[in-house]
Amino acid sequence: MKIVIAPDSFKGSLSAFEAASAIDCGIKKALPKAETLVVPVADGGEGTMDSLVAATNGRKVDVTVTGPLLDRVQASYGILGDQQTCVIEMASASGLCLIHPEQRNPLLTTSYGTGELIKKALDDGCRKFILAIGGSATNDGGIGMLQALGVKLLDSNRKPVGYGGAALSQIVAIDMEEFDSRISTCDFIIASDVQNPLIGRNGASHIFGPQKGATPEMIAFLDHHLSIWADLVEETTGTRLHDKPGAGAAGGIGGAFQAFFPSITKRGIDIVIEYTELERKLTGAQCVFTGEGQIDAQTASGKTPMGVAQIAKKHGIPVFALAGSIGEGIERLYPCGITSVHSIVNAPISLEEAIEKANELLAATAEQVIRTYTATLNS
């Protein structure tokens, strides 16, 4: 029996590779002779770089960059096996994960470090880029990234403005003369499922600002000045970002890519499925295991288990999804290809204990699921 194992990470406890290995261990307890194929995946968020680097026999490059609060942080990017394609997770340089909750303030946080990662990869010869832009700490419209790549954003005195969302209020002109010319020779794929526009009630500031520390007053300030920024961008590039779908992703950096870079946007899971060659690897499989920390109605919006299930459904392969917790609305997943959803928590335990024991809980659940499945095949 051939079984494909393609989970995402169980955030806070297991990486995608660790989760896949635990599932593999559980399956082998029940079926020692099973042919298992481990394919760790991600949906464009945390783990995307590791998944693609592993799938293509690539490598990681460590680099020190400017963090979201202008401190120096250790970040990294991946170079895929073709030695030309760079994978960057924005969160590595400009992520919420780099800031203590009490320090979150989108008036201060900058995307400058993300621009530095792009510049370093350009210096390394990369001309194809995959940008996973989830988990950002910023609401600066991408101006920090542009500043790092040579764009001069000028105030009323023709002086360069500062950094962070507050600097949006100072910009009156965009000087593109020193914008890195190599950008125009590159291809950028932006991994994002976000369709929000740049401004308005469904825009970057109102929808994502609160999780980044924005107060109602900050939200109003940022939304107003992002609108003025969008006016300047339209005058400079001809691209209208105000109501453009996806422009509000990652605090508006999605719009910066749309206006200033030769870029296209794809669902993160679709990119990972393509580069890991998951569909080809499903050939001859009797079933698929996937999973992530939380599975609920939101999983249907492009999360890893749904992406995996949609590919497997094309080939009539059953998909078993394992989760640390199960929320409401999972009935939406069944018509899309997920056969069944299973919680790995098998007794009343605390969250801390569940995280600590995630490896053994995942293995034990996988063992029971495959035992049940094979029993039905033999009945």
Side-chain angles (χ1 to χ4, degrees), residues 155-285:
D155 64 17
S156 57
N157 295 315
R158 303 297 294 181
K159 300 292 185 183
V161 303
Y163 306 101
L168 288 165
S169 66
Q170 304 165 6
I171 304 171
V172 300
I174 302 172
D175 182 346
M176 300 283 292
E177 185 175 346
E178 296 183 19
F179 185 40
D180 198 314
S181 61
R182 296 172 295 181
I183 296 293
S184 63
T185 68
C186 298
D187 296 315
F188 288 82
I189 300 175
I190 311 306
S192 175
D193 301 333
V194 171
Q195 292 297 305
N196 300 74
L198 184 64
I199 61 171
R201 287 294 173 183
N202 291 316
S205 305
H206 282 277
I207 299 300
F208 306 111
Q211 71 193 47
K212 301 175 184 184
T215 64
E217 292 77 20
M218 290 182 191
I219 291 171
F221 174 93
L222 290 164
D223 189 63
H224 173 69
H225 288 290
L226 278 176
S227 179
I228 297 172
W229 164 248
D231 292 340
L232 287 170
V233 170
E234 186 173 9
E235 291 174 12
T236 304
T237 69
T239 300
R240 179 177 174 80
L241 297 179
H242 307 66
D243 48 10
K244 190 175 180 62
I253 205 170
F257 280 115
Q258 291 172 338
F260 295 92
F261 291 70
S263 67
I264 60 172
T265 301
K266 292 184 178 181
R267 287 198 319 171
I269 184 60
D270 293 336
I271 295 170
V272 174
I273 285 173
E274 176 186 348
Y275 277 83
T276 58
E277 299 184 313
L278 178 62
E279 186 163 8
R280 179 184 63 79
K281 293 173 181 177
L282 290 177
T283 302

Side-chain angles (χ1 to χ4, degrees), residues 4-10 15-17 20 38-48 50-52 55 268-269 272-274 276-278 289-292 303-305 307-308:
V4 174
I5 304 168
D8 202 337
S9 62
F10 281 59
S15 68
F17 179 79
V38 170
V39 189
V41 290
D43 59 12
E46 179 186 353
T48 299
D50 288 337
S51 176
L52 296 182
I269 184 60
V272 174
I273 285 173
E274 176 186 348
T276 58
E277 299 184 313
L278 178 62
F289 278 73
T290 187
E292 62 180 349
K303 299 292 187 181
T304 292
V308 172

Side-chain angles (χ1 to χ4, degrees), residues 24-355:
D24 186 32
C25 182
I27 290 171
K28 291 292 179 62
K29 285 184 178 180
L31 299 174
K33 296 183 179 180
E35 176 191 354
T36 54
L37 189 56
V38 170
V39 189
V41 290
D43 59 12
E46 179 186 353
T48 299
M49 177 181 65
D50 288 337
S51 176
L52 296 182
V53 167
T56 63
N57 294 314
R59 58 188 173 91
K60 289 173 65 174
V61 178
D62 296 324
V63 58
T64 302
V65 299
T66 303
L69 290 175
L70 297 177
D71 50 343
R72 302 300 286 171
V73 300
Q74 283 298 119
S76 60
Y77 58 87
I79 296 181
L80 301 191
D82 63 5
Q83 300 302 314
Q84 295 182 348
T85 303
C86 172
V87 183
I88 292 174
E89 290 182 9
M90 183 181 178
S92 175
S94 313
L96 271 179
C97 58
L98 301 174
I99 306 177
H100 292 296
E102 63 272 14
Q103 293 181 299
R104 294 176 181 175
N105 184 339
L107 295 180
L108 303 178
T109 50
T110 175
S111 57
Y112 195 93
T114 298
E116 289 180 308
L117 285 180
I118 294 172
K119 187 176 187 303
K120 179 62 168 63
L122 286 167
D123 293 342
D124 282 348
C126 295
R127 294 297 180 266
K128 297 180 180 179
F129 289 81
I130 298 171
L131 273 294
I133 60 175
S136 78
T138 58
N139 203 119
D140 69 351
I143 65 171
M145 174 184 66
L146 294 172
Q147 288 167 314
L149 290 166
V151 177
K152 291 183 179 179
L153 306 174
L154 307 176
D155 64 17
S156 57
N157 295 315
R158 303 297 294 181
K159 300 292 185 183
V161 303
Y163 306 101
L168 288 165
S169 66
Q170 304 165 6
I171 304 171
V172 300
I174 302 172
D175 182 346
M176 300 283 292
E177 185 175 346
E178 296 183 19
F179 185 40
D180 198 314
S181 61
R182 296 172 295 181
I183 296 293
S184 63
T185 68
C186 298
D187 296 315
F188 288 82
I189 300 175
I190 311 306
S192 175
D193 301 333
V194 171
Q195 292 297 305
N196 300 74
L198 184 64
I199 61 171
R201 287 294 173 183
N202 291 316
S205 305
H206 282 277
I207 299 300
F208 306 111
Q211 71 193 47
K212 301 175 184 184
T215 64
E217 292 77 20
M218 290 182 191
I219 291 171
F221 174 93
L222 290 164
D223 189 63
H224 173 69
H225 288 290
L226 278 176
S227 179
I228 297 172
W229 164 248
D231 292 340
L232 287 170
V233 170
E234 186 173 9
E235 291 174 12
T236 304
T237 69
T239 300
R240 179 177 174 80
L241 297 179
H242 307 66
D243 48 10
K244 190 175 180 62
I253 205 170
F257 280 115
Q258 291 172 338
F260 295 92
F261 291 70
S263 67
I264 60 172
T265 301
K266 292 184 178 181
R267 287 198 319 171
I269 184 60
D270 293 336
I271 295 170
V272 174
I273 285 173
E274 176 186 348
Y275 277 83
T276 58
E277 299 184 313
L278 178 62
E279 186 163 8
R280 179 184 63 79
K281 293 173 181 177
L282 290 177
T283 302
Q286 276 71 53
C287 65
V288 176
F289 278 73
T290 187
E292 62 180 349
Q294 166 86 7
I295 293 180
D296 54 26
Q298 293 299 313
T299 303
S301 65
K303 299 292 187 181
T304 292
M306 180 52 57
V308 172
Q310 288 172 329
I311 296 297
K313 184 180 180 182
K314 289 169 55 178
H315 302 277
I317 305 171
V319 176
F320 305 117
L322 311 186
S325 62
I326 300 174
E328 296 181 356
I330 61 170
E331 65 276 1
R332 292 177 55 189
L333 310 181
Y334 303 136
C336 301
I338 289 182
T339 305
S340 55
V341 181
H342 306 266
S343 172
I344 67 172
V345 179
N346 56 12
I349 57 176
S350 67
L351 175 60
E352 292 74 15
E353 188 177 2
I355 290 174

